[in-house]
Amino acid sequence: RYAERFQRVLNAFQHSRVFDPARGEMVELLELPPDLAAKAKEDPAALDYLGPKLAPEVARGVAEGSLHPRTLEQWENASSIASAGAGASAGAGASSWIMQRSLRAPCAAGA
């Protein structure tokens, strides 16, 4: 049981699902080894711990920062969320940092 959980952690670091801007879709960070690829074909939900397999248009929206990464909804209230912590100096800095971290994506790095 411990060995299985440890292997899942290793898999999560090596094969996390990420957005590939060149292909415009979610891919595994490193190619799945044959045993995991077979498991994924057998039961796609078996590898959900690698991250969600989002539809290409949703994945692009998250990567570009137009969709919230957890709710997958438009960032309509992003400015009000960032200003909510403006009253406390530590809160404002933390809020700003969180917003920047959640919006950062490989395809938006040059923007």
Side-chain angles (χ1 to χ4, degrees):
R1 182 139 169 109
Y2 173 82
E4 290 174 19
R5 289 188 289 186
F6 185 77
Q7 187 60 52
R8 284 176 60 126
V9 169
L10 289 178
N11 291 343
F13 279 102
Q14 295 175 341
H15 308 291
S16 292
R17 292 185 176 134
V18 297
F19 180 73
D20 180 351
R23 292 174 54 182
E25 64 184 358
M26 299 293 291
V27 298
E28 282 78 22
L29 187 59
L30 297 175
E31 188 175 335
L32 293 174
D35 61 322
L36 283 181
K39 187 182 279 190
K41 281 186 181 182
E42 229 174 78
D43 178 16
L47 299 182
D48 279 352
Y49 65 92
L50 298 179
K53 202 141 198 179
L54 302 174
E57 61 278 359
V58 174
R60 179 173 297 285
V62 171
E64 292 176 345
S66 61
L67 297 178
H68 188 284
R70 292 186 193 245
T71 66
L72 305 180
E73 295 176 359
Q74 291 287 326
W75 278 102
E76 293 174 25
N77 298 325
S79 60
S80 63
I81 292 169
S83 64
S89 60
S95 176
S96 174
W97 182 82
I98 290 169
M99 291 291 287
Q100 290 172 7
R101 294 285 296 176
S102 63
L103 292 174
R104 190 179 329 169
C107 66

